[in-house]
Amino acid sequence: MTLFRELRRLFHAWWCVDRIRISPREGRLLVLRPGDMVSVKARTAEIRTRREQPDAVRPRVTYDCRTVDGSARLTIAASNTGEAVSIEWSEGSATISLDQADVEIFSCPSGP
């Protein structure tokens, strides 16, 4: 009986923990790697670097990208409260907010 009670307590503790809950599409935006390609509003860019900025309320991932015309930055901010993800695209001094549908992802194949 003690084993059952202990398992029940562990399961309850796991179930009640706050977790970041996001859709699979949002999750893919947060785990891009250097070499992956994205298309933002029909402009293709290659992910060059990835930087994480952890935050308890709104963790962020910033990707430095190479475009045909130069460079750009894609910033993804997740929310652990179930709110929609925030996506920003910056080129030069211009920054625009995007919807998830504005970003297409083309992942590079994994290495051996």
Side-chain angles (χ1 to χ4, degrees):
M1 191 63 123
T2 304
L3 178 61
F4 175 73
R5 208 173 312 141
E6 192 62 26
L7 287 173
R8 184 172 153 217
R9 185 188 65 74
L10 285 171
F11 178 75
H12 184 266
W14 172 82
W15 186 260
C16 293
V17 164
D18 286 337
R19 294 182 291 271
I20 295 175
R21 293 175 176 90
I22 58 175
S23 74
R25 173 117 174 110
E26 292 168 345
R28 286 187 67 204
L29 287 171
L30 291 169
V31 295
L32 294 171
R33 300 169 298 174
D36 287 347
M37 302 293 286
V38 293
S39 177
V40 177
K41 294 220 174 232
R43 295 195 55 168
T44 303
E46 178 185 3
I47 303 295
R48 303 298 287 172
T49 63
R50 178 183 193 278
R51 291 186 314 267
E52 291 183 39
Q53 297 143 350
D55 183 321
V57 177
R58 206 158 172 86
R60 267 181 211 280
V61 178
T62 301
Y63 300 102
D64 292 315
C65 305
R66 183 176 64 191
T67 65
V68 174
D69 301 328
S71 62
R73 184 177 308 123
L74 179 65
T75 304
I76 314 295
S79 172
N80 62 3
T81 61
E83 296 173 16
V85 72
S86 165
I87 304 169
E88 293 181 341
W89 177 255
S90 303
E91 283 187 86
S93 62
T95 299
I96 59 171
S97 292
L98 301 171
D99 187 68
Q100 291 178 38
D102 295 329
V103 182
E104 269 189 88
I105 301 166
F106 306 97
S107 296
C108 65
S110 297

